[in-house]
Amino acid sequence: VVLTDTAVSKVGELIAAEGDDALALRMAVRPGGCSGFSYEMFFDSEVESADIVEEFGHVKVVVDPQSADRLRGSTLDYRDGLMGAGFAIDNPNVTKSCGCGNSFS
């Protein structure tokens, strides 16, 4: 997974707001949603020995091995525009996604 500069900046702001510099952004893919899988992102202070860890400046990203295969080559961006603000994942492994955009296969 790669984070854009905008995503790194926003994740850094959110971690600072939590007040715990040891937090990492955990990205995962879980079964669920109308298309088969959905993304999960949350702050985590625990890193398992099998986890894959990447650092982007002051932001640490953690992915479990099962999710890593489905996230390989993905880019996490943060967009703030007229249609709303939020994180967006561009994943080249997605073959189809649902109408709501929250799940994929």
Side-chain angles (χ1 to χ4, degrees):
V1 176
V2 173
L3 271 64
T4 64
D5 291 342
T6 309
V8 170
S9 177
K10 188 61 177 182
V11 171
E13 286 176 26
L14 294 171
I15 290 173
E18 291 290 323
D20 184 354
D21 291 340
L23 291 175
L25 175 66
R26 181 171 289 277
M27 296 180 67
V29 174
R30 302 286 185 241
C34 48
S35 289
F37 296 100
S38 61
Y39 297 112
E40 198 173 272
M41 293 192 306
F42 57 93
F43 294 126
D44 198 351
S45 59
E46 296 184 23
V47 176
E48 302 296 326
S49 61
D51 285 339
I52 297 163
V53 180
E54 294 287 335
E55 292 193 30
F56 300 89
H58 58 282
V59 172
K60 186 186 306 183
V61 178
V62 180
V63 179
D64 65 88
Q66 295 80 14
S67 297
D69 287 338
R70 290 191 173 88
L71 288 168
R72 192 172 318 282
S74 296
T75 301
L76 177 66
D77 192 14
Y78 182 80
R79 299 177 184 147
D80 189 5
L82 294 174
M83 299 302 288
F87 289 99
I89 298 173
D90 179 22
N91 187 340
N93 304 303
V94 171
T95 56
K96 70 175 186 167
S97 61
C98 66
C100 67
N102 290 328
S103 66
F104 66 96
S105 64

Coordinates of all heavy atoms in Angstrom, one line a residue:
V1 N 0.8 -1.2 0.0 CA 0.0 0.0 0.0 C 0.9 1.2 0.0 O 1.9 1.3 0.7 CB -0.9 0.0 1.2 CG1 -1.7 1.3 1.3 CG2 -1.8 -1.2 1.3
V2 N 0.5 2.2 -0.8 CA 1.2 3.5 -0.8 C 0.2 4.6 -0.4 O -0.9 4.6 -0.7 CB 1.7 3.8 -2.3 CG1 2.3 5.2 -2.4 CG2 2.7 2.7 -2.7
L3 N 0.7 5.5 0.4 CA -0.1 6.7 0.8 C 0.4 7.9 0.1 O 1.6 8.1 -0.1 CB 0.1 6.9 2.3 CG -0.9 6.2 3.3 CD1 -0.7 4.7 3.2 CD2 -0.7 6.7 4.7
T4 N -0.6 8.7 -0.4 CA -0.3 9.9 -1.1 C 0.2 10.9 0.0 O -0.1 10.7 1.2 CB -1.5 10.5 -1.8 OG1 -2.5 10.8 -0.9 CG2 -2.0 9.6 -2.9
D5 N 0.8 12.0 -0.4 CA 1.2 13.0 0.6 C 0.0 13.6 1.4 O 0.1 13.8 2.6 CB 2.0 14.2 -0.1 CG 3.3 13.7 -0.6 OD1 3.8 12.7 -0.2 OD2 3.9 14.4 -1.5
T6 N -1.1 13.7 0.7 CA -2.3 14.2 1.3 C -2.8 13.3 2.4 O -3.2 13.7 3.5 CB -3.4 14.5 0.2 OG1 -2.9 15.3 -0.8 CG2 -4.6 15.2 0.8
A7 N -2.8 12.0 2.1 CA -3.2 11.0 3.0 C -2.3 10.9 4.2 O -2.7 10.8 5.4 CB -3.3 9.6 2.4
V8 N -1.0 11.0 4.0 CA 0.0 11.0 5.1 C -0.3 12.2 6.0 O -0.3 12.1 7.2 CB 1.4 11.1 4.6 CG1 2.4 11.3 5.7 CG2 1.8 9.8 3.8
S9 N -0.5 13.3 5.4 CA -0.8 14.6 6.2 C -2.1 14.4 7.1 O -2.1 14.7 8.3 CB -0.9 15.7 5.3 OG -1.3 16.9 6.0
K10 N -3.2 13.9 6.5 CA -4.4 13.7 7.2 C -4.3 12.7 8.3 O -4.8 12.9 9.4 CB -5.5 13.4 6.2 CG -6.9 13.4 6.9 CD -7.2 14.8 7.4 CE -8.6 14.9 8.0 NZ -8.9 16.2 8.5
V11 N -3.7 11.5 8.0 CA -3.5 10.5 9.0 C -2.7 11.0 10.1 O -3.0 10.8 11.3 CB -2.9 9.2 8.4 CG1 -2.5 8.2 9.5 CG2 -3.8 8.6 7.4
G12 N -1.6 11.8 9.8 CA -0.8 12.4 10.8 C -1.6 13.3 11.7 O -1.4 13.3 13.0
E13 N -2.5 14.1 11.1 CA -3.3 15.0 11.9 C -4.2 14.2 12.9 O -4.4 14.6 14.0 CB -4.2 15.8 11.0 CG -3.6 16.9 10.3 CD -4.5 17.6 9.3 OE1 -5.8 17.6 9.5 OE2 -4.0 18.1 8.3
L14 N -4.8 13.1 12.3 CA -5.7 12.3 13.1 C -5.0 11.6 14.3 O -5.6 11.5 15.4 CB -6.5 11.3 12.2 CG -7.4 11.9 11.2 CD1 -7.9 10.8 10.2 CD2 -8.6 12.6 11.9
I15 N -3.8 11.1 14.0 CA -3.0 10.5 15.1 C -2.7 11.5 16.2 O -2.8 11.3 17.4 CB -1.8 9.8 14.5 CG1 -2.2 8.6 13.7 CG2 -0.8 9.4 15.7 CD1 -1.0 7.9 13.0
A16 N -2.3 12.7 15.7 CA -2.0 13.8 16.7 C -3.2 14.1 17.6 O -3.0 14.4 18.8 CB -1.5 15.0 15.9
A17 N -4.4 14.1 16.9 CA -5.6 14.4 17.7 C -5.9 13.3 18.7 O -6.5 13.6 19.8 CB -6.8 14.6 16.7
E18 N -5.5 12.1 18.5 CA -5.6 11.0 19.4 C -4.7 11.1 20.6 O -4.9 10.5 21.6 CB -5.4 9.7 18.7 CG -6.5 9.3 17.7 CD -7.8 8.9 18.4 OE1 -7.8 8.3 19.4 OE2 -8.8 9.3 17.8
G19 N -3.6 11.9 20.4 CA -2.6 12.1 21.5 C -1.7 10.9 21.8 O -1.1 10.8 22.9
D20 N -1.6 10.0 20.8 CA -0.7 8.8 21.0 C 0.2 8.6 19.8 O -0.3 8.0 18.8 CB -1.6 7.6 21.3 CG -0.7 6.4 21.7 OD1 0.5 6.4 21.6 OD2 -1.3 5.3 22.0
D21 N 1.4 9.1 19.8 CA 2.3 9.0 18.7 C 2.7 7.5 18.3 O 3.2 7.3 17.2 CB 3.6 9.8 18.9 CG 3.3 11.3 18.9 OD1 2.3 11.7 18.4 OD2 4.1 12.0 19.5
A22 N 2.4 6.6 19.2 CA 2.7 5.2 18.9 C 1.6 4.5 18.0 O 1.8 3.4 17.6 CB 2.8 4.4 20.2
L23 N 0.5 5.2 17.8 CA -0.5 4.6 16.9 C -0.1 4.4 15.5 O 0.7 5.3 15.0 CB -1.8 5.4 17.0 CG -2.5 5.5 18.3 CD1 -3.7 6.5 18.2 CD2 -3.0 4.1 18.7
A24 N -0.6 3.4 14.9 CA -0.3 3.1 13.5 C -1.7 3.0 12.8 O -2.7 2.6 13.4 CB 0.5 1.8 13.3
L25 N -1.7 3.3 11.5 CA -2.9 3.1 10.7 C -3.0 1.6 10.3 O -2.1 1.2 9.5 CB -3.0 4.0 9.5 CG -4.1 3.8 8.5 CD1 -5.5 4.1 9.2 CD2 -3.9 4.5 7.3
R26 N -4.0 0.9 10.7 CA -4.1 -0.5 10.3 C -5.1 -0.5 9.1 O -6.2 0.0 9.3 CB -4.6 -1.4 11.4 CG -4.7 -2.9 10.9 CD -4.9 -3.8 12.1 NE -3.8 -4.0 12.9 CZ -2.8 -4.8 12.7 NH1 -2.7 -5.5 11.5 NH2 -1.8 -4.9 13.5
M27 N -4.7 -1.1 8.0 CA -5.6 -1.3 6.9 C -5.8 -2.8 6.7 O -4.9 -3.6 6.8 CB -5.0 -0.7 5.6 CG -4.8 0.8 5.6 SD -4.0 1.4 4.1 CE -5.3 1.1 2.9
A28 N -7.1 -3.2 6.5 CA -7.4 -4.6 6.3 C -8.6 -4.8 5.3 O -9.3 -3.8 5.0 CB -7.9 -5.1 7.7
V29 N -8.7 -6.0 4.8 CA -9.8 -6.4 4.0 C -10.5 -7.5 4.7 O -9.9 -8.5 5.1 CB -9.3 -6.9 2.6 CG1 -10.4 -7.4 1.8 CG2 -8.6 -5.7 1.9
R30 N -11.8 -7.3 4.9 CA -12.6 -8.3 5.6 C -13.7 -8.8 4.7 O -14.2 -8.1 3.9 CB -13.2 -7.7 6.9 CG -12.2 -7.2 7.8 CD -11.4 -8.2 8.6 NE -10.5 -7.7 9.5 CZ -9.2 -7.8 9.5 NH1 -8.6 -8.5 8.6 NH2 -8.4 -7.3 10.5
P31 N -14.1 -10.1 4.9 CA -15.3 -10.6 4.2 C -16.5 -9.7 4.6 O -16.7 -9.4 5.8 CB -15.5 -12.0 4.7 CG -14.2 -12.4 5.2 CD -13.5 -11.1 5.7
G32 N -17.4 -9.4 3.6 CA -18.6 -8.7 4.0 C -18.9 -7.7 2.9 O -18.2 -7.6 1.9
G33 N -20.1 -7.1 3.0 CA -20.6 -6.1 2.0 C -21.3 -6.9 0.9 O -21.3 -8.1 0.9
C34 N -21.9 -6.1 0.1 CA -22.7 -6.8 -1.0 C -21.9 -7.3 -2.1 O -22.4 -8.1 -2.9 CB -23.8 -5.8 -1.5 SG -23.1 -4.2 -1.9
S35 N -20.6 -7.0 -2.2 CA -19.8 -7.6 -3.3 C -18.7 -8.6 -2.8 O -18.0 -9.1 -3.6 CB -19.0 -6.4 -4.0 OG -19.9 -5.7 -4.8
G36 N -18.7 -8.9 -1.5 CA -17.8 -9.9 -1.0 C -16.8 -9.5 0.0 O -16.5 -10.2 0.9
F37 N -16.1 -8.3 -0.2 CA -15.1 -7.8 0.7 C -15.3 -6.4 1.0 O -15.9 -5.6 0.2 CB -13.7 -8.0 0.2 CG -13.3 -9.5 0.0 CD1 -13.4 -10.0 -1.3 CD2 -12.9 -10.2 1.0 CE1 -13.1 -11.4 -1.5 CE2 -12.6 -11.6 0.8 CZ -12.6 -12.1 -0.4
S38 N -14.9 -5.9 2.1 CA -14.9 -4.5 2.5 C -13.6 -4.1 3.1 O -12.9 -4.9 3.7 CB -16.1 -4.1 3.3 OG -16.0 -4.8 4.6
Y39 N -13.3 -2.8 3.0 CA -12.1 -2.3 3.6 C -12.4 -1.9 5.1 O -13.5 -1.5 5.5 CB -11.6 -1.0 2.9 CG -11.2 -1.2 1.5 CD1 -12.0 -0.7 0.5 CD2 -10.1 -2.0 1.2 CE1 -11.6 -0.9 -0.9 CE2 -9.7 -2.2 -0.1 CZ -10.5 -1.6 -1.2 OH -10.1 -1.8 -2.5
E40 N -11.3 -2.0 5.9 CA -11.4 -1.6 7.3 C -10.1 -0.8 7.6 O -9.0 -1.2 7.2 CB -11.4 -2.9 8.1 CG -11.9 -2.7 9.5 CD -12.0 -4.0 10.2 OE1 -13.1 -4.6 10.1 OE2 -11.0 -4.5 10.9
M41 N -10.3 0.4 8.2 CA -9.1 1.2 8.6 C -9.4 1.7 10.0 O -10.4 2.2 10.3 CB -8.9 2.4 7.6 CG -8.5 2.0 6.2 SD -7.9 3.4 5.2 CE -9.3 4.5 5.3
F42 N -8.4 1.5 10.8 CA -8.5 2.1 12.2 C -7.1 2.2 12.8 O -6.1 1.7 12.2 CB -9.3 1.1 13.1 CG -8.8 -0.3 13.1 CD1 -8.0 -0.7 14.2 CD2 -9.2 -1.2 12.2 CE1 -7.5 -2.0 14.2 CE2 -8.8 -2.5 12.2 CZ -7.9 -2.9 13.2
F43 N -7.0 3.0 13.9 CA -5.7 3.1 14.5 C -5.5 2.0 15.5 O -6.4 1.5 16.2 CB -5.6 4.5 15.3 CG -5.7 5.6 14.4 CD1 -6.6 6.6 14.5 CD2 -4.8 5.7 13.3 CE1 -6.6 7.7 13.7 CE2 -4.8 6.8 12.5 CZ -5.7 7.8 12.6
D44 N -4.2 1.5 15.5 CA -3.9 0.3 16.3 C -2.5 0.6 16.9 O -1.6 1.1 16.3 CB -3.8 -0.9 15.4 CG -3.9 -2.2 16.1 OD1 -3.8 -2.2 17.4 OD2 -4.0 -3.3 15.5
S45 N -2.4 0.1 18.2 CA -1.1 0.3 18.9 C -0.4 -1.1 18.9 O 0.8 -1.1 19.4 CB -1.4 0.8 20.3 OG -2.2 -0.1 21.0
E46 N -1.0 -2.1 18.4 CA -0.3 -3.5 18.5 C 0.0 -3.9 17.0 O -0.8 -3.8 16.1 CB -1.3 -4.5 19.1 CG -1.5 -4.2 20.5 CD -2.4 -5.2 21.2 OE1 -2.4 -6.4 20.7 OE2 -3.0 -4.9 22.2
V47 N 1.3 -4.4 16.9 CA 1.7 -5.0 15.7 C 2.1 -6.4 15.9 O 2.9 -6.7 16.8 CB 2.9 -4.1 15.1 CG1 3.5 -4.8 13.9 CG2 2.6 -2.7 14.9
E48 N 1.5 -7.3 15.1 CA 1.8 -8.7 15.2 C 3.1 -9.0 14.5 O 3.5 -8.3 13.5 CB 0.7 -9.6 14.7 CG -0.7 -9.3 15.4 CD -0.7 -9.7 16.8 OE1 0.0 -10.7 17.2 OE2 -1.3 -9.0 17.6
S49 N 3.8 -10.1 14.8 CA 5.1 -10.4 14.1 C 4.9 -10.7 12.6 O 5.8 -10.4 11.9 CB 5.7 -11.6 14.8 OG 4.9 -12.8 14.7
A50 N 3.7 -11.2 12.2 CA 3.5 -11.5 10.8 C 3.0 -10.3 10.0 O 3.0 -10.3 8.8 CB 2.5 -12.6 10.7
D51 N 2.7 -9.2 10.7 CA 2.2 -8.0 10.0 C 3.2 -7.4 9.1 O 4.4 -7.4 9.4 CB 1.7 -6.9 11.0 CG 0.4 -7.2 11.7 OD1 -0.4 -8.1 11.1 OD2 0.1 -6.7 12.8
I52 N 2.8 -6.7 8.1 CA 3.6 -6.0 7.1 C 3.5 -4.5 7.6 O 2.4 -4.0 7.7 CB 3.2 -6.2 5.7 CG1 3.3 -7.7 5.3 CG2 4.0 -5.3 4.8 CD1 2.6 -8.1 4.1
V53 N 4.7 -3.9 7.8 CA 4.7 -2.5 8.3 C 5.5 -1.7 7.3 O 6.6 -2.0 6.9 CB 5.4 -2.4 9.7 CG1 5.4 -1.0 10.1 CG2 4.7 -3.3 10.7
E54 N 4.9 -0.5 6.9 CA 5.5 0.4 6.0 C 5.4 1.8 6.7 O 4.4 2.1 7.4 CB 4.8 0.5 4.6 CG 4.9 -0.7 3.8 CD 6.3 -0.9 3.2 OE1 7.0 0.1 3.0 OE2 6.6 -2.1 2.9
E55 N 6.5 2.6 6.5 CA 6.4 3.9 7.1 C 6.5 5.0 6.0 O 7.2 4.9 5.1 CB 7.6 4.1 8.1 CG 7.5 3.2 9.3 CD 8.4 3.6 10.4 OE1 8.8 4.8 10.5 OE2 8.8 2.7 11.2
F56 N 5.6 6.0 6.2 CA 5.6 7.1 5.3 C 5.8 8.4 6.1 O 4.8 8.9 6.7 CB 4.2 7.2 4.6 CG 3.9 5.9 3.7 CD1 3.3 4.8 4.3 CD2 4.3 5.9 2.4 CE1 3.0 3.7 3.6 CE2 4.1 4.7 1.7 CZ 3.4 3.6 2.3
G57 N 7.0 8.8 6.2 CA 7.3 9.9 7.1 C 7.1 9.5 8.5 O 7.7 8.5 8.9
H58 N 6.2 10.2 9.2 CA 5.9 9.9 10.6 C 4.7 9.0 10.8 O 4.3 8.8 11.9 CB 5.7 11.3 11.3 CG 4.6 12.1 10.7 ND1 4.8 12.8 9.6 CD2 3.3 12.2 11.1 CE1 3.7 13.4 9.3 NE2 2.8 13.1 10.2
V59 N 4.2 8.5 9.6 CA 3.0 7.7 9.7 C 3.4 6.2 9.4 O 4.0 5.9 8.4 CB 1.9 8.1 8.7 CG1 0.8 7.1 8.6 CG2 1.4 9.5 9.0
K60 N 3.0 5.3 10.3 CA 3.2 3.9 10.1 C 1.9 3.2 9.7 O 0.9 3.5 10.3 CB 3.7 3.3 11.5 CG 4.1 1.8 11.4 CD 4.4 1.2 12.7 CE 5.4 2.0 13.5 NZ 5.8 1.4 14.8
V61 N 2.0 2.4 8.6 CA 0.9 1.6 8.1 C 1.1 0.2 8.4 O 2.2 -0.4 8.0 CB 0.6 1.9 6.6 CG1 -0.6 1.1 6.1 CG2 0.4 3.4 6.4
V62 N 0.1 -0.5 8.9 CA 0.2 -1.9 9.3 C -0.9 -2.7 8.5 O -2.0 -2.3 8.5 CB 0.0 -2.2 10.8 CG1 0.1 -3.6 11.1 CG2 1.1 -1.3 11.5
V63 N -0.5 -3.8 7.9 CA -1.4 -4.7 7.1 C -1.1 -6.1 7.5 O 0.0 -6.6 7.5 CB -1.2 -4.5 5.6 CG1 -2.2 -5.4 4.8 CG2 -1.4 -3.0 5.2
D64 N -2.2 -6.9 7.8 CA -2.0 -8.3 8.1 C -1.7 -9.1 6.8 O -2.1 -8.6 5.7 CB -3.2 -8.9 8.8 CG -4.5 -8.8 7.9 OD1 -4.7 -9.8 7.2 OD2 -5.2 -7.8 8.0
P65 N -1.1 -10.2 6.9 CA -0.7 -10.9 5.6 C -1.9 -11.3 4.7 O -1.7 -11.3 3.5 CB 0.0 -12.2 6.2 CG 0.4 -11.9 7.5 CD -0.6 -10.9 8.1
Q66 N -3.0 -11.7 5.3 CA -4.2 -12.0 4.4 C -4.7 -10.8 3.7 O -5.1 -11.0 2.5 CB -5.3 -12.6 5.3 CG -4.9 -14.0 6.0 CD -4.1 -13.8 7.2 OE1 -4.0 -12.7 7.8 NE2 -3.5 -14.9 7.7
S67 N -4.7 -9.7 4.3 CA -5.2 -8.5 3.6 C -4.2 -8.0 2.6 O -4.6 -7.4 1.6 CB -5.5 -7.4 4.6 OG -6.5 -7.8 5.5
A68 N -2.9 -8.2 2.8 CA -1.8 -7.7 2.0 C -2.0 -8.1 0.5 O -1.8 -7.4 -0.4 CB -0.5 -8.1 2.5
D69 N -2.4 -9.4 0.3 CA -2.6 -9.9 -1.0 C -3.7 -9.1 -1.8 O -3.6 -8.8 -3.0 CB -3.0 -11.4 -1.1 CG -1.8 -12.2 -0.7 OD1 -0.6 -11.8 -0.9 OD2 -2.0 -13.4 -0.3
R70 N -4.8 -8.8 -1.1 CA -5.9 -8.0 -1.7 C -5.6 -6.5 -1.8 O -6.3 -5.8 -2.6 CB -7.2 -8.3 -0.9 CG -7.7 -9.7 -1.1 CD -9.1 -9.9 -0.6 NE -9.6 -11.2 -0.9 CZ -9.4 -12.3 -0.1 NH1 -8.7 -12.2 1.0 NH2 -9.9 -13.4 -0.5
L71 N -4.6 -6.0 -1.0 CA -4.3 -4.6 -1.1 C -3.1 -4.3 -1.9 O -2.7 -3.1 -2.1 CB -4.1 -4.1 0.4 CG -5.3 -3.9 1.2 CD1 -5.0 -3.7 2.7 CD2 -6.2 -2.8 0.7
R72 N -2.4 -5.3 -2.4 CA -1.1 -5.2 -3.1 C -1.3 -4.2 -4.3 O -2.2 -4.3 -5.1 CB -0.6 -6.5 -3.6 CG 0.8 -6.4 -4.1 CD 1.4 -7.8 -4.5 NE 1.1 -8.9 -3.5 CZ 1.7 -9.0 -2.3 NH1 2.6 -8.2 -1.9 NH2 1.3 -10.0 -1.5
G73 N -0.5 -3.2 -4.3 CA -0.5 -2.2 -5.4 C -1.5 -1.0 -5.2 O -1.7 -0.2 -6.0
S74 N -2.2 -1.0 -4.0 CA -3.2 0.0 -3.8 C -2.6 1.3 -3.3 O -1.5 1.3 -2.8 CB -4.1 -0.5 -2.7 OG -4.9 -1.6 -3.1
T75 N -3.4 2.4 -3.5 CA -3.0 3.7 -3.1 C -4.1 4.3 -2.2 O -5.3 4.2 -2.6 CB -2.8 4.6 -4.3 OG1 -1.7 4.1 -5.1 CG2 -2.4 6.0 -3.9
L76 N -3.7 4.8 -1.1 CA -4.7 5.5 -0.2 C -4.5 7.0 -0.3 O -3.4 7.5 -0.2 CB -4.4 5.1 1.3 CG -5.3 5.8 2.3 CD1 -6.8 5.3 2.1 CD2 -4.8 5.5 3.7
D77 N -5.6 7.6 -0.6 CA -5.6 9.1 -0.8 C -6.6 9.7 0.1 O -7.5 9.0 0.5 CB -5.9 9.4 -2.3 CG -5.6 10.9 -2.6 OD1 -4.9 11.6 -1.8 OD2 -6.1 11.3 -3.7
Y78 N -6.5 11.0 0.4 CA -7.5 11.7 1.1 C -7.9 12.8 0.2 O -7.1 13.6 -0.3 CB -6.9 12.3 2.4 CG -8.0 13.0 3.2 CD1 -8.9 12.3 4.0 CD2 -8.1 14.4 3.1 CE1 -9.9 13.0 4.7 CE2 -9.1 15.1 3.8 CZ -10.0 14.4 4.6 OH -11.0 15.0 5.2
R79 N -9.2 12.9 0.0 CA -9.8 13.9 -0.9 C -10.7 14.8 -0.1 O -11.5 14.4 0.7 CB -10.6 13.2 -2.0 CG -9.6 12.3 -2.9 CD -10.4 11.6 -3.9 NE -9.4 10.7 -4.6 CZ -9.8 9.5 -5.1 NH1 -11.0 9.1 -5.1 NH2 -8.9 8.8 -5.7
D80 N -10.6 16.1 -0.4 CA -11.5 17.1 0.2 C -12.0 18.0 -0.8 O -11.3 18.9 -1.3 CB -10.7 17.9 1.3 CG -11.5 18.8 2.1 OD1 -12.8 18.7 2.0 OD2 -10.9 19.5 2.9
G81 N -13.3 17.8 -1.2 CA -13.8 18.5 -2.3 C -15.3 18.8 -2.1 O -15.9 18.6 -1.1
L82 N -15.9 19.3 -3.2 CA -17.3 19.7 -3.1 C -18.3 18.6 -2.8 O -19.3 18.7 -2.2 CB -17.7 20.4 -4.4 CG -17.1 21.7 -4.8 CD1 -17.5 22.2 -6.1 CD2 -17.5 22.8 -3.7
M83 N -17.9 17.4 -3.2 CA -18.7 16.2 -3.0 C -18.4 15.5 -1.7 O -19.0 14.4 -1.4 CB -18.5 15.2 -4.2 CG -18.9 15.7 -5.5 SD -20.6 16.3 -5.6 CE -21.4 14.7 -5.6
G84 N -17.6 16.2 -0.8 CA -17.4 15.6 0.5 C -15.9 15.3 0.6 O -15.1 15.3 -0.3
A85 N -15.5 15.0 1.9 CA -14.2 14.6 2.2 C -14.1 13.2 2.7 O -15.0 12.7 3.3 CB -13.6 15.6 3.2
G86 N -12.9 12.6 2.5 CA -12.7 11.3 3.0 C -11.6 10.6 2.3 O -11.0 11.1 1.4
F87 N -11.3 9.4 2.9 CA -10.2 8.6 2.3 C -10.7 7.8 1.2 O -11.9 7.3 1.2 CB -9.6 7.6 3.4 CG -8.8 8.4 4.4 CD1 -9.4 8.7 5.7 CD2 -7.5 8.7 4.2 CE1 -8.6 9.4 6.6 CE2 -6.7 9.4 5.1 CZ -7.3 9.7 6.3
A88 N -9.9 7.5 0.2 CA -10.3 6.7 -1.0 C -9.1 5.8 -1.3 O -8.0 6.2 -1.3 CB -10.6 7.6 -2.2
I89 N -9.5 4.5 -1.6 CA -8.5 3.5 -1.9 C -8.6 3.2 -3.4 O -9.7 2.8 -3.8 CB -8.7 2.2 -1.0 CG1 -8.5 2.6 0.4 CG2 -7.7 1.1 -1.5 CD1 -8.8 1.4 1.4
D90 N -7.5 3.3 -4.1 CA -7.5 2.9 -5.5 C -6.8 1.6 -5.5 O -5.6 1.5 -5.2 CB -6.7 3.9 -6.3 CG -6.6 3.5 -7.8 OD1 -7.4 2.7 -8.2 OD2 -5.6 4.0 -8.4
N91 N -7.5 0.5 -5.8 CA -7.0 -0.9 -5.7 C -7.1 -1.5 -7.0 O -8.2 -1.8 -7.6 CB -7.9 -1.6 -4.7 CG -7.3 -3.0 -4.4 OD1 -6.5 -3.6 -5.1 ND2 -7.7 -3.6 -3.3
P92 N -5.9 -1.9 -7.6 CA -5.9 -2.5 -9.0 C -6.4 -3.9 -9.0 O -6.6 -4.5 -10.0 CB -4.4 -2.4 -9.4 CG -3.7 -2.4 -8.1 CD -4.6 -1.6 -7.1
N93 N -6.6 -4.5 -7.8 CA -7.0 -5.9 -7.7 C -8.5 -6.1 -7.7 O -9.0 -7.2 -7.8 CB -6.5 -6.5 -6.4 CG -5.0 -6.4 -6.3 OD1 -4.3 -6.9 -7.1 ND2 -4.5 -5.7 -5.2
V94 N -9.3 -5.0 -7.7 CA -10.7 -5.0 -7.6 C -11.3 -5.4 -9.0 O -10.9 -4.7 -10.0 CB -11.3 -3.7 -7.2 CG1 -12.8 -3.6 -7.3 CG2 -10.9 -3.4 -5.7
T95 N -12.1 -6.4 -9.1 CA -12.7 -6.8 -10.4 C -14.1 -6.2 -10.5 O -14.5 -5.9 -11.6 CB -12.8 -8.3 -10.5 OG1 -13.5 -8.8 -9.4 CG2 -11.4 -8.9 -10.6
K96 N -14.8 -5.9 -9.4 CA -16.1 -5.2 -9.4 C -16.3 -4.7 -8.0 O -15.8 -5.2 -7.0 CB -17.2 -6.1 -9.9 CG -17.6 -7.2 -8.9 CD -18.8 -8.0 -9.4 CE -19.3 -8.9 -8.3 NZ -20.6 -9.5 -8.5
S97 N -17.1 -3.6 -8.0 CA -17.5 -3.0 -6.7 C -19.0 -2.8 -6.7 O -19.7 -2.8 -7.8 CB -16.8 -1.7 -6.4 OG -17.0 -0.8 -7.4
C98 N -19.6 -2.6 -5.5 CA -21.0 -2.4 -5.4 C -21.4 -1.0 -5.8 O -20.5 -0.1 -5.8 CB -21.5 -2.8 -4.0 SG -20.9 -1.7 -2.8
G99 N -22.7 -0.7 -5.9 CA -23.1 0.6 -6.2 C -22.8 1.6 -5.2 O -22.6 2.8 -5.5
C100 N -22.8 1.2 -3.9 CA -22.5 2.2 -2.8 C -21.0 2.4 -2.7 O -20.6 3.4 -2.1 CB -23.0 1.7 -1.5 SG -22.2 0.2 -0.8
G101 N -20.2 1.6 -3.3 CA -18.7 1.8 -3.3 C -18.0 1.4 -2.1 O -16.8 1.6 -1.9
N102 N -18.7 0.7 -1.2 CA -18.1 0.3 0.1 C -17.6 -1.1 0.1 O -17.0 -1.5 1.1 CB -19.1 0.5 1.2 CG -19.3 1.9 1.5 OD1 -18.5 2.8 1.3 ND2 -20.5 2.3 1.9
S103 N -17.9 -1.9 -0.9 CA -17.4 -3.3 -0.9 C -17.0 -3.6 -2.3 O -17.3 -3.0 -3.3 CB -18.5 -4.3 -0.4 OG -19.6 -4.3 -1.2
F104 N -16.2 -4.7 -2.5 CA -15.7 -5.1 -3.8 C -15.4 -6.6 -3.8 O -15.5 -7.3 -2.8 CB -14.3 -4.3 -4.0 CG -13.3 -4.7 -3.0 CD1 -12.3 -5.7 -3.4 CD2 -13.2 -4.2 -1.8 CE1 -11.3 -6.1 -2.5 CE2 -12.2 -4.5 -0.9 CZ -11.2 -5.5 -1.3
S105 N -15.1 -7.1 -5.0 CA -14.6 -8.4 -5.2 C -13.5 -8.5 -6.2 O -13.2 -7.5 -6.8 CB -15.8 -9.3 -5.7 OG -16.2 -8.9 -6.9

